[in-house]
Amino acid sequence: MARRPPATEGERMRAIWLREFGGPEVLVPGPAPDPVPGPGQVLIDVAHVNITFVETQLRSGRPGPFRVTPPLIPGNGVGGVITAVGADVDSALTGRRVVSATGGSGGYAERAVVDASAPFEVPAGLALDDAVALLADGRTATLLVDAAGVRPGDRVLVEAAAGGVGSLLVQLAARAGAQVIGVAGDARKVDLLPGLGADLAADYRLPGWADQVRDAVGGVDVVFDGVGGPIARTAFELLDPGGRMVSFGLASGGWSPVSAEDAAARHVTLVRSDVPPARMRAYTDQVLAGAAVGQLRTLIGQRFPLERAADAHAAIEARATVGKTLLDVN
């Protein structure tokens, strides 16, 4: 990857601006001041940007886990090379391949400044784009499998199994010795699932998908709910007593309707997945190291140049994507 010289005050870079809430079209390319690292910070020359479903919610102004106030440059996950450091930062960091969260904004751009403690060095043997694709989804999937306590022999149902998190959950659960049932909302996505390690794959848009699962495996022990809404309710009904359900997404537009009272009545545990930041860093290191030695593979389904961030958001919202969606900057 070609490197540019460190930024100086007054330079401009390419970026994507969110100046008002709305549809994908509100993501508009434009120049931005080239950031310069201050004390305790590093500058990353960005090659790839990780897009998450949450970012489409933020852009639209819909309720979500975070709130932002325009105008701003969106984006919370980047990968590239450290090209400059601020005061009191080890200059040996310069030239390292890293992935990093940005703190919630500033990622859809050619360069990003982050705290020097934020980046993760990309292990040898792992491509930078794969590392970016794993940054958010990999640690999330690892956390969820750990929180649910997946054991050998468990029957594990993964919703949205061809998505960024879901495709990794299928692999991790299979590696843990579980019998994995992957469900997705499109025939093309369903066809991908056996290659990821699913023992059974079903299309949850089709009537009777739950009967197909029950006929094949009886009930299930774990549900990873990435869809919410009625699909989450149907998956919940497949759980045997003693089962565990973890909700991590709302691809349907709404969270799981399953209440604590519903779960208690069926002797099912609704698993919480809150962990301290230090644990999340450990999960990130773990997933990057595993991918570097071939224990986990990324599913990068589509890529867009930086200037087409609006098209990337539109594709995600149309549910036309599989796996991870990246913006390529260079």
Side-chain angles (χ1 to χ4, degrees):
M1 180 179 65
R3 297 183 194 170
R4 294 169 295 174
T8 59
E9 296 284 356
E11 291 188 11
R12 309 288 279 179
M13 65 177 178
R14 293 180 298 134
I16 301 296
W17 284 96
L18 173 66
R19 293 188 170 90
E20 61 180 335
F21 295 124
E25 69 280 356
V26 301
L27 294 174
V28 179
D34 217 335
V36 176
Q41 297 179 323
V42 299
L43 176 71
I44 300 174
D45 195 357
V46 177
H48 309 285
V49 183
N50 157 7
I51 300 180
T52 65
F53 179 76
V54 169
E55 290 168 11
T56 69
Q57 293 179 289
L58 294 178
R59 186 217 68 237
S60 69
R62 292 194 301 269
F66 310 104
R67 295 290 298 175
V68 297
T69 303
L72 79 157
I73 298 168
N76 189 44
V78 300
V81 173
I82 295 175
T83 54
V85 300
D88 303 321
V89 178
D90 186 355
S91 61
L93 294 176
T94 303
R96 293 189 183 180
R97 296 189 312 148
V98 296
V99 292
S100 181
T102 64
S105 63
Y108 293 8
E110 289 186 286
R111 296 182 178 186
V113 162
V114 301
D115 288 343
S117 61
F120 296 84
E121 186 166 5
V122 177
L126 182 61
L128 185 56
D129 55 354
D130 286 333
V132 175
L134 287 168
L135 175 61
D137 292 349
R139 65 189 176 202
T140 298
T142 305
L143 156 66
L144 296 176
V145 168
D146 199 8
V150 174
R151 301 182 291 264
D154 277 345
R155 297 157 298 172
V156 175
L157 188 148
V158 181
E159 301 169 14
V165 175
S167 62
L168 297 172
L169 285 171
V170 170
Q171 295 177 68
L172 290 169
R175 284 189 60 82
Q179 183 178 12
V180 182
I181 304 98
V183 297
D186 177 276
R188 177 177 63 115
K189 298 176 182 180
V190 171
D191 289 345
L192 291 171
L193 302 181
L196 295 173
D199 300 285
L200 175 69
D203 188 334
Y204 60 64
R205 301 172 308 164
L206 301 180
W209 71 267
D211 292 333
Q212 179 185 352
V213 173
R214 193 173 293 282
D215 290 345
V217 300
V220 299
D221 302 296
V222 178
V223 167
F224 290 113
D225 165 42
V227 177
I231 301 301
R233 167 63 68 175
T234 301
F236 168 74
E237 297 294 339
L238 285 167
L239 281 163
D240 279 345
R244 294 94 74 196
M245 183 171 186
V246 187
S247 290
F248 67 92
L250 64 165
S252 66
W255 288 105
S256 166
V258 177
S259 68
E261 292 76 16
D262 295 334
R266 298 193 62 244
H267 304 286
V268 166
T269 300
L270 299 182
V271 178
R272 294 181 60 85
S273 55
D274 297 331
V275 299
R279 179 69 64 84
M280 291 301 285
R281 285 197 67 88
Y283 283 135
T284 305
D285 285 327
Q286 178 181 336
V287 76
L288 292 176
V293 296
Q295 294 177 352
L296 199 63
R297 71 181 180 89
T298 57
L299 178 59
I300 300 174
Q302 45 286 311
R303 319 169 76 110
F304 295 83
L306 177 65
E307 288 78 5
R308 291 181 55 202
D311 292 337
H313 274 232
I316 292 170
E317 290 188 322
R319 303 184 69 178
T321 61
V322 296
K324 197 66 191 170
T325 302
L326 298 184
L327 294 179
D328 293 329
V329 178
N330 295 326

